[in-house]
Amino acid sequence: PPSQSSRRLASAGSDAHVAIWQADEKGLWSQLQRIDVAETMGMAEWVRDVAWRPGCGVVGHVLAVCIGTRLGTFGQAEDGKSWSLREDRDMGQIVYKALWNALGTVLSVSLEDGSVRVFKENLRGVVHQFAFADGSGVHAPCPPQSGESMIALRMRA
């Protein structure tokens, strides 16, 4: 099992920041880092959700962040001290929730209209939407939705 000092979590809220917390040996939590999502992504809204990608065989720490109509992914630098925007995707409507699968290879997001978009990264590092679900069922493969634009196509290490 991981030691207390290696336990970390991310939180977000109306201040448009993501905070990274770590537990010490006594189980007390302290803030390690703070990411200014609003400034980085150019959105003056609150962060609705943050999801930490599980580290099961996946290299590097990645956070998925929902802010306004955008879905961003942030990667941690090799020095472990800073986070940078890897991908910024305009979904065309409010993004409410992000959820990684148990292996950290698939990311699902729920949107304002009740639909769910499902993304994964291919072996070349290109992230693409491969399915979506709405009231009429699950659809795959799926073309880009109108109003959706990719600001960055590749996940950058």
Side-chain angles (χ1 to χ4, degrees):
S3 69
Q4 286 286 91
S5 63
S6 68
R7 294 186 342 173
R8 293 188 292 172
L9 64 86
S11 65
S14 62
D15 65 353
H17 287 82
V18 168
I20 309 299
W21 302 84
Q22 183 169 344
D24 65 16
E25 295 77 27
K26 296 177 184 176
L28 299 174
W29 291 91
S30 60
Q31 185 174 314
L32 277 179
Q33 298 162 316
R34 191 169 161 94
I35 304 168
D36 187 343
V37 177
E39 180 179 315
T40 305
M41 294 181 68
M43 297 287 294
E45 296 195 34
W46 57 289
V47 178
R48 285 186 171 77
D49 195 24
V50 60
W52 202 307
R53 181 175 73 179
C56 302
V58 180
V59 178
H61 294 287
V62 175
L63 299 172
V65 176
C66 305
I67 182 169
T69 61
R70 309 267 276 287
L71 171 66
T73 54
F74 287 81
Q76 188 175 34
E78 287 184 26
D79 65 8
K81 296 179 181 176
S82 62
W83 292 82
S84 61
L85 184 64
R86 297 172 82 184
E87 181 182 17
D88 183 352
R89 185 183 296 255
D90 187 339
M91 302 300 293
Q93 56 185 304
I94 295 173
V95 184
Y96 283 106
K97 182 80 177 150
L99 180 67
W100 293 95
N101 71 337
L103 296 177
T105 56
V106 176
L107 174 64
S108 300
V109 295
S110 64
L111 304 172
E112 177 178 27
D113 67 358
S115 66
V116 175
R117 308 267 178 99
V118 186
F119 301 89
K120 68 180 182 177
E121 183 178 357
N122 68 18
L123 295 175
R124 293 186 187 111
V126 177
V127 176
H128 66 281
Q129 180 180 324
F130 73 94
F132 73 97
D134 59 16
S136 65
V138 177
H139 311 278
C142 52
Q145 303 295 307
S146 62
E148 178 181 330
S149 64
M150 271 302 276
I151 294 171
L153 288 175
R154 290 189 170 271
M155 297 283 281
R156 295 183 294 271

